[in-house]
Amino acid sequence: ARGDARRLRHQSEDLDAALLDFDEALRRISPPPMAHRGRALTLRKQGRMKDAAESLQSYLQAQPDAPDAPLLKSYLDELKS
């Protein structure tokens, strides 16, 4: 949640801090899929498209039926092109 709050403020230092929050969450034994989503969206805002695509793919594999899956699949297609 903290990472998402920082990501949504969309300031450079907040994006870096958000990535640290998401990375910390992903180091857990059972990481929450939303951490992949938040990490992907943060990386996308930073212009790190390859890394964003990898995180987005991880989220969609874990949550293929997520309500936002169609939108995120379109982001993934955009990132891969």
Side-chain angles (χ1 to χ4, degrees), residues 67-81:
D68 60 352
L71 174 65
L72 296 177
K73 286 177 186 176
S74 73
Y75 286 174
L76 187 57
D77 290 341
E78 170 190 309
L79 292 168
K80 288 183 176 181
S81 61

Side-chain angles (χ1 to χ4, degrees), residues 10-76:
H10 194 64
Q11 296 177 7
S12 179
E13 64 275 1
D14 287 330
L15 295 178
D16 292 338
L19 278 179
L20 292 174
D21 291 338
F22 293 127
D23 288 343
E24 181 181 328
L26 291 169
R27 284 192 292 273
R28 296 181 185 163
I29 292 172
S30 296
M34 291 297 286
H36 288 290
R37 180 188 181 277
R39 186 174 192 277
L41 295 174
T42 302
L43 291 164
R44 183 174 176 257
K45 283 185 178 183
Q46 289 184 321
R48 296 173 55 190
M49 302 313 184
K50 182 177 185 260
D51 294 332
E54 290 172 5
S55 290
L56 201 50
Q57 187 66 45
S58 295
Y59 172 71
L60 291 170
Q61 286 175 348
Q63 299 287 324
D65 298 323
D68 60 352
L71 174 65
L72 296 177
K73 286 177 186 176
S74 73
Y75 286 174
L76 187 57

